[in-house]
């Protein structure tokens, strides 16, 4: 169960390291940074889609499941990267996009070619509805209708995401076989497992009933992008997601499929299936489904507070079934970066350390996102030309139709477009941050902050940097059994502004204290024989019974 004790690091291949100097990250780039990743202490790389793809959804639109995007390199480059990672004791998991393919995948091209093509039924095709329009009122989570008209064959096809991402029809056993074969291709090569993209969206209700919701597609996409702006309250945004459940998402049939997939992967030694879902049902109960799901609840909050973390941990730790597991995460390629998201504009640097300490001391596998370890921040796109996230293009179209001005739309995109968290990794302070040669135009702009110390080279030199903070805590986690596998118990008073918890195995007990505020906090816990394992406040020992935590202090002690 290596995946239980691992620290996972997510790589967005287009943005990690550009070895051939064309402005786009690639597989040899990843290989060249393995020593860095080893130094940092991560155990597992999760690589976002690296397959051939027209890149409409930056690789989440796969055109061939058993090859490498030529922009990123070759299968041989991939094998080299995998072997080099394994040689350093680093495992590699891939992103498996099961719900949909690219509209340029051979399967869809065939499916679309005629109504009697053998691949027709591999996708979800429907006749027009009674009024001659779309088959029903279902919407795409990225905005607009989920149905796209095909003039040539006179039917609509279904897409939960972009229209360039047609949904596969998993009710056809040939689809399951083809996708399992694709997974086997990588498992046979030695890949250690998969993160399963959008796993809940695989099945739809075959009765295709209309949603009975008061929302329309415009409201939905507005809520998706502007939910945090106050146009819609968070409750409405969450309802908007619920709207899909049971019709377009999380149908009961999914669980039998998960069991079959688990049986398939269990034919191999010790591989991992982690689903992009927070729904514990995917872990099964007594019947094996996925090994792990994500605790996304912290990431969904606008700020972190001790209260939020306490509630979150209580919920997760009692509900995860025996033998199953979960990952904690605060950012990924779809979300605002940690340093921006949980910052308050004044103490962003301190709060980034608080967030890191949380990830690396809580129960649950930490999933870190490239650049988080040096405090990369969200990038605000400056013009429509810079936008690469095609969801932003859908948003622009819908909002224009709705009368919103371009100026206003650009302002929205600067804050919300997923480009914000996908800019090139910042390796040093040379132009282009050492990601690409200086004279190359990178696929997304490099964030200016690379020149102000937010880069690997500079932070590596500075033992007080965020990078060293991450590295120290990663190593502490890995060498402290209680932090890795210990139980969790809250020891702070309910309403305190600091967080304190015990992590405990049979042989070791650690206590973690995290002050979320700029003020000193008197701690209610009575210290009596402790060894300091880590203190951001430079405490080397504790010789009094009570202490005040310093502003934003992170303190980890072992109880003797
Ligand atoms: C979830 C992925 O995280 C996101 O980036 C992608 O756009 C959708 N799934 C569709 O594949
Ligand atoms: Ca490249």
């Amino acid at each position: 169960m290596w995946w239980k004790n691992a620290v996972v690091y997510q790589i967005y291949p287009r943005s990690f390291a550009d070895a051939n100097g064309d402005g786009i990250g690639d597989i040899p780039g990843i290989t060249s940074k393995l020593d860095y990743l080893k130094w940092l202490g991560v155990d597992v790389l999760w690589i976002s889609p690296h397959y051939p793809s027209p890149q409409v959804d930056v690789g989440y639109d796969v055109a061939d499941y058993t090859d490498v995007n030529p922009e990123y390199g070759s299968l041989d480059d991939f094998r080299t990267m995998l072997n080099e990672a394994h040689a350093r004791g680093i495992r590699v998991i891939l992103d498996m996009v099961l719900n949909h393919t690219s509209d340029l995948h051979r399967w869809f091209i065939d499916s679309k070619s005629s109504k009697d093509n053998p691949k027709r039924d591999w996708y979800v095709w429907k006749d027009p509805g009674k009024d001659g329009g779309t088959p029903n009122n279902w919407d795409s989570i990225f905005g607009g209708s989920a149905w796209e008209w095909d003039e040539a064959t006179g039917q609509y096809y279904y897409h939960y995401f972009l229209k360039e991402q047609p949904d596969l029809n998993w009710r056809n056993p040939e689809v399951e076989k083809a996708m399992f074969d694709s997974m086997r291709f990588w498992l046979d090569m030695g890949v250690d497992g998969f993160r399963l993209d959008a796993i809940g969206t695989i099945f739809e209700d075959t009765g295709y009933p209309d949603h009975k919701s008061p929302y329309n597609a415009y409201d939905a996409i507005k809520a998706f992008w502007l939910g945090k702006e106050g146009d819609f309250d968070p409750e409405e945004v969450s309802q908007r997601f619920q709207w899909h459940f049971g019709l377009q998402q999380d149908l009961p049939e999914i669980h039998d499929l998960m069991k079959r997939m688990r049986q398939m992967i269990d034919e191999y030694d010790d591989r991992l299936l982690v689903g992009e879902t927070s729904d514990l049902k995917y872990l099964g109960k007594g019947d094996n489904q996925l090994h792990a799901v994500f605790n996304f609840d912290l990431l969904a909050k606008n700020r972190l507070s001790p209260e939020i973390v306490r509630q979150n941990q209580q919920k997760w730790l009692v509900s995860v079934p025996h033998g199953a597991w979960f990952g904690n995460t605060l950012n990924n390629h779809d979300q605002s970066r940690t340093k921006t998201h949980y910052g308050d504009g004044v103490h962003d640097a301190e709060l980034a350390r608080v967030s890191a300490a949380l990830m690396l001391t809580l129960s649950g596998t930490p999933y870190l996102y490239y650049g988080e370890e040096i405090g990369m921040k969200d990038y605000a796109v400056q013009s429509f030309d810079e936008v690469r996230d095609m969801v932003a293009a859908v948003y622009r179209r819908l909002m224009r139709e709705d009368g919103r001005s371009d100026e206003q739309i650009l302002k929205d995109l600067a804050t919300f477009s997923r480009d914000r968290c996908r800019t090139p990794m910042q390796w040093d302070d040379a132009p282009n941050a050492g990601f690409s040669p200086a004279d190359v135009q990178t696929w997304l702009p490099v964030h200016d902050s690379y020149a102000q110390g937010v880069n690997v080279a500079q932070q590596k030199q500075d033992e007080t940097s965020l990078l060293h903070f991450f590295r120290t805590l990663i190593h502490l986690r890995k060498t402290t059994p209680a932090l890795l596998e210990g139980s969790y118990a809250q020891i702070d008073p309910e309403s305190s502004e600091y967080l304190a918890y015990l992590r405990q195995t049979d042989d070791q007990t650690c206590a973690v204290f995290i002050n979320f505020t700029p003020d000193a906090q008197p701690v209610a816990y009575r210290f009596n024989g402790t060894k300091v394992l880590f203190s951001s406040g430079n405490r080397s020992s504790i010789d009094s019974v009570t202490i005040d935590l310093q502003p934003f202090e992170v303190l980890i002690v072992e109880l003797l």
Side-chain angles (χ1 to χ4, degrees):
M1 293 210 285
W2 51 268
W3 35 270
K4 226 174 156 177
N5 289 350
V7 174
V8 184
Y9 184 96
Q10 182 190 355
I11 288 182
Y12 202 61
R14 212 171 177 77
S15 296
F16 194 61
D18 171 18
N20 67 351
D22 62 356
I24 296 173
D26 42 50
I27 303 283
I30 299 176
T31 310
S32 73
K33 300 299 181 187
L34 289 170
D35 285 335
Y36 163 70
L37 295 163
K38 176 82 189 158
W39 173 84
L40 182 59
V42 300
D43 308 289
V44 179
L45 306 181
W46 149 26
I47 303 184
S48 278
H50 65 291
Y51 318 95
S53 160
Q55 300 288 321
V56 178
D57 194 16
V58 199
Y60 285 91
D61 47 330
V62 179
D64 180 352
Y65 287 88
T66 55
D67 205 346
V68 172
N69 176 8
E71 289 174 316
Y72 298 170
S74 63
L75 269 174
D76 276 343
D77 292 330
F78 183 90
R79 284 193 195 93
T80 304
M81 185 272 294
L82 184 64
N83 294 338
E84 291 291 320
H86 284 168
R88 289 165 178 78
I90 297 176
R91 289 186 161 87
V92 176
I93 65 173
L94 296 180
D95 214 313
M96 210 5 99
V97 187
L98 300 168
N99 173 65
H100 48 272
T101 67
S102 159
D103 61 341
L104 298 185
H105 194 296
R106 190 69 240 167
W107 301 338
F108 189 68
I109 294 172
D110 290 348
S111 182
K112 202 178 167 192
S113 65
S114 83
K115 268 173 133 169
D116 46 1
N117 185 282
K119 293 267 179 345
R120 184 66 170 184
D121 186 50
W122 281 40
Y123 293 83
V124 182
W125 291 96
K126 292 285 285 177
D127 289 331
K130 280 190 225 75
D131 58 356
T134 55
N136 65 19
N137 71 357
W138 292 2
D139 69 338
S140 150
I141 198 151
F142 285 163
S145 171
W147 298 100
E148 183 70 11
W149 176 243
D150 179 49
E151 188 63 46
T153 59
Q155 283 193 314
Y156 285 91
Y157 67 85
Y158 174 74
H159 58 94
Y160 189 71
F161 297 95
L162 295 169
K163 69 176 179 354
E164 293 84 357
Q165 295 169 300
D167 275 46
L168 284 161
N169 173 21
W170 277 81
R171 295 181 194 277
N172 183 331
E174 290 171 10
V175 168
E176 180 172 315
K177 173 158 189 329
M179 293 305 285
F180 279 22
D181 285 350
S182 308
M183 295 170 86
R184 286 179 187 279
F185 173 86
W186 299 104
L187 294 168
D188 289 339
M189 196 189 289
V191 158
D192 298 283
F194 300 102
R195 174 258 190 194
L196 304 178
D197 183 66
I199 190 65
T201 62
I202 282 190
F203 290 108
E204 296 76 42
D205 185 316
T206 49
Y208 298 96
D210 274 346
H211 287 299
K212 302 266 179 311
S213 155
Y215 297 105
N216 61 36
Y218 288 113
D219 286 345
I221 193 71
K222 273 190 207 157
F224 187 63
W225 289 85
L226 305 178
K228 292 173 184 155
E229 276 280 74
D231 289 36
F232 287 77
D233 73 35
E235 204 38 49
E236 273 192 87
V237 176
S238 109
Q239 274 185 31
R240 173 256 177 292
F241 282 103
Q242 312 254 331
W243 175 20
H244 296 106
F245 296 149
L247 293 182
Q248 293 178 259
Q249 206 175 321
D250 291 333
L251 274 84
E253 297 86 309
I254 187 74
H255 299 292
D256 282 334
L257 172 62
M258 294 298 93
K259 287 180 215 163
R260 292 195 295 277
M261 194 176 288
R262 175 65 177 266
Q263 274 167 13
M264 182 274 284
I265 204 166
D266 279 351
E267 290 170 27
Y268 297 82
D269 269 359
D270 223 13
R271 313 291 169 100
L272 168 70
L273 288 175
V274 51
E276 191 206 3
T277 176
S278 273
D279 185 343
L280 294 159
K281 287 202 287 301
Y282 287 78
L283 297 172
K285 269 213 171 103
D287 53 347
N288 287 335
Q289 298 187 31
L290 302 182
H291 298 95
V293 296
F294 284 98
N295 169 11
F296 281 136
D297 302 347
L298 293 173
L299 171 154
K301 304 285 183 206
N302 277 342
R303 284 293 300 277
L304 291 175
S305 67
E307 190 49 33
I308 285 172
V309 179
R310 280 193 283 263
Q311 283 174 8
N312 176 269
Q313 289 297 296
Q314 279 156 19
K315 172 182 149 193
W316 275 83
L317 293 167
V318 298
S319 24
V320 171
H322 183 69
W325 200 232
F326 65 99
N328 293 311
T329 185
L330 293 178
N331 54 177
N332 61 38
H333 64 291
D334 293 328
Q335 306 291 336
S336 180
R337 282 187 171 276
T338 303
K339 184 137 181 216
T340 305
H341 188 173
Y342 305 104
D344 62 0
V346 181
H347 306 101
D348 296 358
E350 293 86 345
L351 289 166
R353 289 176 190 231
V354 162
S355 304
L358 258 184
M359 283 298 98
L360 296 166
T361 58
L362 285 177
S363 183
T365 305
Y367 281 71
L368 309 176
Y369 181 54
Y370 85 93
E372 177 178 358
E373 75 275 27
I374 50 171
M376 279 173 63
K377 285 184 124 176
D378 284 0
Y379 175 77
V381 287
Q382 304 291 304
S383 69
F384 288 112
D385 287 347
E386 273 186 10
V387 171
R388 294 287 171 273
D389 178 5
M390 288 302 282
V391 178
V394 178
Y395 179 76
R396 187 181 186 194
R397 177 167 57 76
L398 291 173
M399 290 303 107
R400 274 180 151 178
E401 285 170 16
D402 209 29
R404 206 166 168 96
S405 73
D406 264 4
E407 192 189 352
Q408 189 54 52
I409 297 171
L410 187 60
K411 214 172 132 232
D412 298 342
L413 296 186
T415 320
F416 297 112
S417 145
R418 294 180 300 171
D419 295 317
R420 64 187 172 182
C421 60
R422 298 174 173 179
T423 57
M425 178 68 177
Q426 296 166 197
W427 293 105
D428 59 37
D429 63 359
N432 276 338
F435 168 77
S436 287
D439 52 345
V440 166
Q441 177 152 14
T442 56
W443 81 281
L444 268 177
V446 174
H447 197 296
D448 289 347
S449 62
Y450 78 91
Q452 286 111 48
V454 184
N455 67 66
V456 170
Q458 242 168 295
Q459 294 197 19
K460 231 177 152 181
Q461 301 291 321
D462 173 5
E463 297 229 330
T464 66
S465 65
L466 181 62
L467 179 60
H468 274 273
F469 187 89
F470 265 95
R471 179 171 187 260
T472 304
L473 285 183
I474 290 173
H475 285 267
L476 183 65
R477 181 178 181 93
K478 287 168 57 168
T479 51
T480 310
L483 291 181
L484 265 189
E485 16 193 51
S487 59
Y488 169 99
Q490 183 189 326
I491 50 169
D492 46 11
E494 272 304 330
S495 57
S496 68
E497 291 195 76
Y498 68 91
L499 190 65
Y501 43 92
L502 292 184
R503 301 289 321 276
Q504 189 161 27
T505 57
D506 288 346
D507 302 324
Q508 190 184 37
T509 303
C510 291
V512 178
F513 301 85
I514 305 180
N515 182 358
F516 279 62
T517 74
D519 307 310
Q521 299 286 342
V523 167
Y525 185 78
R526 300 185 73 76
F527 290 81
N528 186 3
T530 55
K531 176 172 153 205
V532 172
L533 300 181
F534 179 86
S535 159
S536 65
N538 297 328
R539 248 182 243 280
S540 52
S541 62
I542 296 176
D543 34 29
S544 52
V545 180
T546 57
I547 62 162
D548 284 354
L549 281 180
Q550 295 161 26
F552 299 109
E553 181 173 354
V554 174
L555 172 66
I556 305 171
V557 299
E558 182 174 353
L559 309 190
L560 301 174

